[in-house]
Amino acid sequence: MKKDVRKAIIAGNWKMNKTPSEAKALLEEIAPLVKDAGCEVVACVPYVDLATAIEATKGTNIKIGAENCHWAESGAFTGEISTGMLKEIGVEYVVLGHSERRQYFGETDETVNKRTKAALAAGLKPIVCVGELLWERECNITEEVVARQIKLDLWDVTEEELKNVTIAYEPVWAIGTGKTATAEQAEEVCAFIRECLKKLYNEAAAEAVTIQYGGSMNDKNADELLQKVNVDGGLIGGASLVAEKFAAIVAAATRN
Ligand code: 13P
């Protein structure tokens, strides 16, 4: 019950949207709307937008994140991007283990763990995504699924490293569907995730971790979700592509 010890983080996950020029325009629209935010504001953007995004947000309070990274420093991994490449251009955050990567690109807890370890070693801040499928929720195994993901994805992550980790609880059935988890459902699983972290680390370490909710979070439902004591922020897809909606969610995080 210690929301005040944690940093609230509102992060946009742009997914495969916006060309570099469109990214610049959107960030320039968002920047003045969120300049007085009382929370961390992050935009996670496609690889080719990163350099433009970093340039466009210089001197603002918006931090830039990537949507994935590889675990090797370099080598024969066609199409992949290393942590060193991201660091050198000034990227701070990286989304890892998003359900779309798990569903469509063969991401497993083992590869999420490798990417998480590499990101932390490079000084990046991973946003590690976990969450159950609709079928898993219907079978009443949400907690088992999430506990397993937390344990495996954070395998060998030290207590010191955990300080730079954000967890995003994203029920897969709520992503891009317009079907939001109720604030009670979100709180229930976010609180459970914190219990898992307590068991894996300790109470103080677990209380300090920012746990976001993601899945059709928008300007209308953000307040209710963010009022919950274990919901410390949001990972926003669709609504992060509309400046006013994203700014309204940032304002909700600032209020709560
Ligand atoms: P939507 O907000 O579009 O449902 O996407 C959520 C998400 O996947 C963020 O990572």
Side-chain angles (χ1 to χ4, degrees):
M1 307 288 276
K2 293 181 188 153
K3 206 170 168 98
D4 52 340
V5 303
R6 301 187 276 275
K7 189 164 51 173
I9 305 177
I10 297 297
N13 172 13
W14 288 11
K15 310 192 179 185
M16 196 174 74
N17 292 293
K18 304 292 173 188
T19 65
S21 60
E22 290 167 348
K24 182 173 187 288
L26 178 55
L27 287 164
E28 284 173 356
E29 209 184 333
I30 292 172
L33 303 179
V34 302
K35 68 177 182 1
D36 299 319
C39 64
E40 183 99 327
V41 182
V42 185
C44 300
V45 306
Y47 287 135
V48 294
D49 294 350
L50 286 169
T52 306
I54 286 160
E55 190 56 37
T57 51
K58 269 203 183 120
T60 76
N61 56 337
I62 303 174
K63 310 281 170 61
I64 297 300
E67 297 179 14
N68 199 7
C69 68
H70 198 261
W71 55 84
E73 278 176 27
S74 62
F77 300 102
T78 302
E80 291 290 320
I81 300 287
S82 75
T83 56
M85 294 169 187
L86 298 178
K87 273 301 279 184
E88 188 175 311
I89 62 166
V91 171
E92 276 187 52
Y93 285 84
V94 58
V95 177
L96 295 173
H98 192 278
S99 66
E100 285 147 20
R101 297 227 53 93
R102 295 179 192 256
Q103 260 182 307
Y104 308 133
F105 303 102
E107 195 76 65
T108 65
D109 287 312
E110 189 184 2
T111 56
V112 175
N113 176 248
K114 287 166 99 169
R115 295 180 204 277
T116 303
K117 291 285 298 167
L120 288 165
L124 291 165
K125 296 174 184 160
I127 298 175
V128 178
C129 306
V130 299
E132 79 288 1
L133 305 171
L134 181 58
W135 163 243
E136 291 166 334
R137 175 165 281 264
E138 286 170 352
C139 291
N140 231 353
I141 60 164
T142 296
E143 292 193 349
E144 276 148 87
V145 171
V146 170
R148 182 187 155 93
Q149 289 173 328
I150 291 288
K151 192 163 188 178
L152 296 179
D153 297 353
L154 299 183
W155 182 255
D156 207 24
V157 168
T158 66
E159 187 181 334
E160 192 54 32
E161 288 175 321
L162 188 70
K163 291 179 184 161
N164 286 320
V165 174
T166 296
I167 305 288
Y169 167 56
E170 299 210 312
V172 181
W173 48 271
I175 295 178
T177 56
K179 206 174 158 185
T180 323
T182 63
E184 288 68 33
Q185 286 171 324
E187 168 64 14
E188 190 179 25
V189 183
C190 289
F192 175 74
I193 290 171
R194 204 173 304 285
E195 285 307 309
C196 293
L197 295 172
K198 275 182 201 167
K199 284 194 195 124
L200 293 173
Y201 296 90
N202 56 62
E203 176 143 10
E207 286 293 351
V209 175
T210 297
I211 303 178
Q212 299 171 316
Y213 168 78
S216 301
M217 195 192 250
N218 58 38
D219 48 324
K220 304 276 183 309
N221 57 29
D223 258 309
E224 200 185 344
L225 287 159
L226 292 165
Q227 271 162 17
K228 293 294 178 188
V229 71
N230 285 290
V231 180
D232 307 311
L235 186 57
I236 327 294
S240 72
L241 299 169
V242 182
E244 298 76 30
K245 290 188 181 177
F246 186 64
I249 300 170
V250 169
T254 302
R255 275 194 294 279
N256 291 290

